[in-house]
């Protein structure tokens, strides 16, 4: 009998589905099929691959409401966010359907009359992806679309909490004619599948979105066969409110950044640094707006904040808030919880903490929850030092209408994504990724297809 796991709704505990896990033999067979399919798929001309990707995107859009509902049921995010994520996921396919036609090479003037020098790009081969539960659609298409566009074949292991959205998206790809072995999924436990992927001679590239510790293990394990890697790992984003910031606008953007997906994103603001002269005003305005956020089942009308994905995530958030309070943080709103351990539902009410200090866990660890910690600063230099004092370097935000302050902050912040008066910078056509322990490589934009391509240099002699 096969091992299975159950997928439940994190908002209600309702059973959704029982999924069969693949055996090691089945996973290895899927990898072999993906490898064998590579030759044929990579030879499908770029315009045809592009057309197939566009048809996949159209098919996803035709099923938008169904996919969004499925996503909210397995992930818990509010339905308006799930609908937005279906569009976000589709936008990666649309972008890479175009980029498929632009994987240009070049010629290099020769140093010798009898030679010609040509540089071409070719797909790396079979790509194995491991995707997270927080964006079950977009994090998959952000990898699958450039891989297929480049001519690679693709296999994904979706997160155990949210496999259903991924499975459905891949069915929709097969429906429009993308070959079944060119895009596949396998189901199972992360550590085991990670090892199979990294050990496999068939896999030429590993792409992962998830925690930094898991990313480090995948990197180490990929070294034996020198695989290509793209790692989109953890974050601990600073958000700086300068003295001259437009506070109403900054509050709306802070909410967009901090409370999207109940704070369960790698790019969400995790340390909110506010100039001491505007701290009280900013804190009051933020608290007023946060109080309006409605917590509940994401399928219900008007809900802004869904559940925390599981008990582990919930316990971590509470531990960080309690640690902060025990060291002197003041609760302006929130610090309320609603858990039902019998049916595994965990809600954290949006929380704002003031007087947050640098020795508190919340300023050192990624929170992945709807908690906004406010830290006061006097000088911009001090804010920059605090902002950069982390091993992470994914996203940073700042709010100022002074262009000199803006340029100064942009140049000094060591983060791959910077939002200046912008709490929502993600998009398919921009390079998303982090510095330091937040990752390697970029996804999205023209940069996002490069990691799926090898550069090949041809020297033609004797002319
Ligand atoms: C993430 O949290 O990893 C992705 C968020 C985004 O694409 O905006």
């Amino acid at each position: 009998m096969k091992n299975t796991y159950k997928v439940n709704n994190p908002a209600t505990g309702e059973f959704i589905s029982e999924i069969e896990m693949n055996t090691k033999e089945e996973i290895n067979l899927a990898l072999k099929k993906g490898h064998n399919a590579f030759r044929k798929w990579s030879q499908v001309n770029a315009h045809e691959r592009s057309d197939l990707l566009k048809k996949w995107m159209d098919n996803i859009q035709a099923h938008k409401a169904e996919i969004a509902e499925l996503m909210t049921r397995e992930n818990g995010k509010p339905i308006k966010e799930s609908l937005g994520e279906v569009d976000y996921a589709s936008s990666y396919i649309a972008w890479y359907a175009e980029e498929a036609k632009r994987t240009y090479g070049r010629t290099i003037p020769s140093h010798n009359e009898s030679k010609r020098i040509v540089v071409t790009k070719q797909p790396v081969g079979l790509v194995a992806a491991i995707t997270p539960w927080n964006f079950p659609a977009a994090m998959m298409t952000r990898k699958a679309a450039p891989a297929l566009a480049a001519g690679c074949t693709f296999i994904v292991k979706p997160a155990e909490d949210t496999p259903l959205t991924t499975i459905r998206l891949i069915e929709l790809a097969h429906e429009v004619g993308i070959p079944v072995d060119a895009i596949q999924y396998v189901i199972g436990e992360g550590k085991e599948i990670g090892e199979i992927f990294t050990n496999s001679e068939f896999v030429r590239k590993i792409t992962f979105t998830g925690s930094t510790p898991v990313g480090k293990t995948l990197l180490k394990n990929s070294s034996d066969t020198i695989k290509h890697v793209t790692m989109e790992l953890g974050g601990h984003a600073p958000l700086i409110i300068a003295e001259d910031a437009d506070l109403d606008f900054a509050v709306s953007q802070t909410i967009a950044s901090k409370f999207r997906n109940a704070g369960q994103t790698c790019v969400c603001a995790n340390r909110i640094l506010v100039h001491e002269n505007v701290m009280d005003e900013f804190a009051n305005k933020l608290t007023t707006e946060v109080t309006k956020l409605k917590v509940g089942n994401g399928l219900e009308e008007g809900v802004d904040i869904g559940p925390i994905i599981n008990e582990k995530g919930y316990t971590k958030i509470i531990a960080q808030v309690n640690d902060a309070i025990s060291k002197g943080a003041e609760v302006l709103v929130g610090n309320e919880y609603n858990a039902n351990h019998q049916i595994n539902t965990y809600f954290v009410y949006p929380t704002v903490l003031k007087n947050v200090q640098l020795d508190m866990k919340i300023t050192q660890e990624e929170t992945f929850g709807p908690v906004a910690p406010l830290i006061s600063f006097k000088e911009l230099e001090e804010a920059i030092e605090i902002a950069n004092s982390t091993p992470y370097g994914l996203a940073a935000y700042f709010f100022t209408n002074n262009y000199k302050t803006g340029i100064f902050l942009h140049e000094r912040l060591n983060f791959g994504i910077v939002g200046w008066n912008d709490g929502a910078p993600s998009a398919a056509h921009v390079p998303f990724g982090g510095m330091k322990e937040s990752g390697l490589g970029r996804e999205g934009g023209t940069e996002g297809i490069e990691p799926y391509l090898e550069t090949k240099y041809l020297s033609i002699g004797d002319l």
Side-chain angles (χ1 to χ4, degrees):
M1 227 184 42
K2 280 200 162 179
N3 288 339
T4 60
Y5 64 72
K6 291 194 171 83
V7 182
N8 291 335
N9 182 332
T12 60
E14 162 213 10
F15 166 77
I16 308 174
S17 184
E18 184 153 6
I19 312 276
E20 279 192 356
M21 288 158 81
N22 291 113
T23 61
K24 192 171 177 187
E25 292 67 39
E26 285 170 341
I27 297 166
N28 278 320
L29 182 63
L31 293 173
K32 193 168 181 200
K33 285 183 180 170
H35 170 75
N36 291 343
F38 171 66
R39 181 181 293 271
K40 204 161 169 203
W41 177 250
S42 60
Q43 284 169 2
V44 171
N45 77 63
H47 290 254
E48 224 175 288
R49 288 201 304 268
S50 171
D51 286 345
L52 282 166
L53 283 168
K54 284 181 195 156
K55 284 185 186 150
W56 184 25
M57 190 205 74
D58 290 343
N59 207 17
I60 291 173
Q61 284 295 314
H63 293 82
K64 181 171 167 177
E66 172 212 323
I67 298 163
E69 188 184 324
L70 185 61
M71 199 188 311
T72 292
R73 287 176 69 217
E74 67 174 348
N75 167 284
K77 68 175 67 183
I79 191 74
K80 59 187 172 194
E81 288 194 30
S82 295
L83 288 163
E85 189 181 334
V86 179
D87 287 342
Y88 185 38
S90 302
S91 70
Y92 282 102
I93 305 177
W95 176 262
Y96 286 109
E98 293 305 321
E99 289 299 285
K101 297 176 274 185
R102 299 190 185 112
T103 56
Y104 305 130
R106 66 196 162 116
T107 57
I108 296 177
S110 173
H111 50 287
N112 179 322
E113 302 74 48
S114 69
K115 283 192 178 194
R116 299 293 179 271
I117 299 173
V118 181
V119 178
T120 56
K121 298 288 172 98
Q122 71 178 44
V124 297
L126 171 63
V127 173
I130 301 180
T131 53
W133 50 264
N134 62 344
F135 291 90
M139 297 306 101
M140 194 277 280
T141 60
R142 184 150 93 183
K143 300 175 192 313
L148 294 172
C152 299
T153 48
F154 182 81
I155 186 161
V156 59
K157 185 213 87 78
E160 286 97 304
D161 287 309
T162 58
L164 303 174
T165 305
T166 303
I167 293 173
R168 189 70 189 115
L169 292 179
I170 291 179
E171 283 168 5
L172 295 175
H174 295 158
E175 264 177 38
V176 299
I178 299 181
V180 287
D181 292 342
I183 178 165
Q184 306 178 75
Y185 65 85
V186 284
I187 298 294
E189 193 267 320
K191 188 165 179 295
E192 194 196 337
I193 296 192
E195 277 167 14
I196 299 174
F197 281 178
T198 48
N199 287 338
S200 170
E201 59 179 313
F202 297 128
V203 173
R204 286 310 311 139
K205 177 178 169 70
I206 298 280
T207 172
F208 171 65
T209 296
S211 75
T212 296
V214 173
K216 286 182 183 178
T217 304
L218 290 169
L219 274 173
K220 278 188 201 133
N221 295 348
S222 297
S223 67
D224 280 345
T225 46
I226 317 285
K227 296 191 198 311
H228 295 256
V229 286
T230 297
M231 295 281 144
E232 203 269 90
L233 308 177
H236 200 349
L239 184 151
I240 300 172
I241 308 289
E243 195 177 0
D244 72 297
D246 173 340
L247 294 187
D248 291 317
F249 183 68
V251 163
S252 70
Q253 294 297 296
T254 302
I255 288 184
S257 167
K258 176 70 256 184
F259 295 101
R260 173 181 176 216
N261 201 11
Q264 301 173 108
T265 81
C266 303
V267 286
C268 71
N270 222 52
R271 295 168 292 152
I272 302 174
L273 302 156
V274 187
H275 192 278
E276 60 178 8
N277 292 347
V278 293
M279 173 57 97
D280 287 343
E281 195 183 347
F282 179 80
N284 289 340
K285 284 177 186 284
L286 182 67
T287 304
T288 304
E289 292 309 310
V290 168
T291 309
K292 295 177 190 163
L293 297 174
K294 187 174 165 197
V295 178
N297 179 347
L299 288 176
E300 282 166 18
E301 191 67 27
V303 165
D304 302 296
I305 307 281
I308 300 305
I309 192 75
N310 54 34
E311 185 171 17
K312 194 165 162 235
Y314 173 81
T315 310
K316 182 179 178 194
I317 299 164
I318 298 179
Q320 286 190 10
V321 174
N322 286 343
D323 171 75
I325 295 170
S326 74
K327 291 176 181 156
E330 182 190 342
V331 179
L332 299 184
V333 59
N335 189 25
E336 281 178 57
Y337 311 97
N338 183 357
N340 185 335
H341 295 267
Q342 263 79 51
I343 56 167
N344 289 324
T345 60
Y346 303 97
F347 288 90
V348 173
Y349 285 73
T351 299
V352 179
L353 299 176
K354 210 176 155 193
N355 297 335
V356 170
Q357 308 297 326
L358 301 182
D359 62 341
M360 298 174 181
K361 279 194 186 133
I362 202 157
T363 58
Q364 293 155 14
E365 298 171 0
E366 198 173 17
T367 304
F368 247 63
V371 182
L374 306 186
I375 305 162
S376 172
F377 73 88
K378 276 191 195 5
E379 304 293 339
L380 278 180
E381 278 291 350
E382 184 194 349
I384 291 168
E385 197 176 319
I386 297 171
N388 284 336
S389 65
T390 162
Y392 296 111
L394 185 57
Y397 308 87
F398 56 80
F399 291 84
T400 178
N401 286 331
N402 180 318
Y403 80 93
K404 288 190 180 171
T405 306
I407 299 292
F408 175 68
L409 284 168
H410 170 249
E411 288 177 355
R412 294 282 302 280
L413 289 168
N414 298 326
F415 293 83
I417 302 161
V418 178
W420 175 355
N421 291 342
D422 186 2
S426 301
H429 46 281
V430 303
F432 185 108
M435 298 180 179
K436 303 191 313 196
E437 294 193 16
S438 284
L440 279 178
R442 295 293 179 268
E443 296 187 307
T446 49
E447 289 84 350
I449 198 163
E450 282 298 323
Y452 296 91
L453 296 165
E454 298 268 19
T455 297
K456 194 183 238 179
Y457 149 53
L458 170 68
S459 179
I460 309 169
D462 193 26
L463 293 174

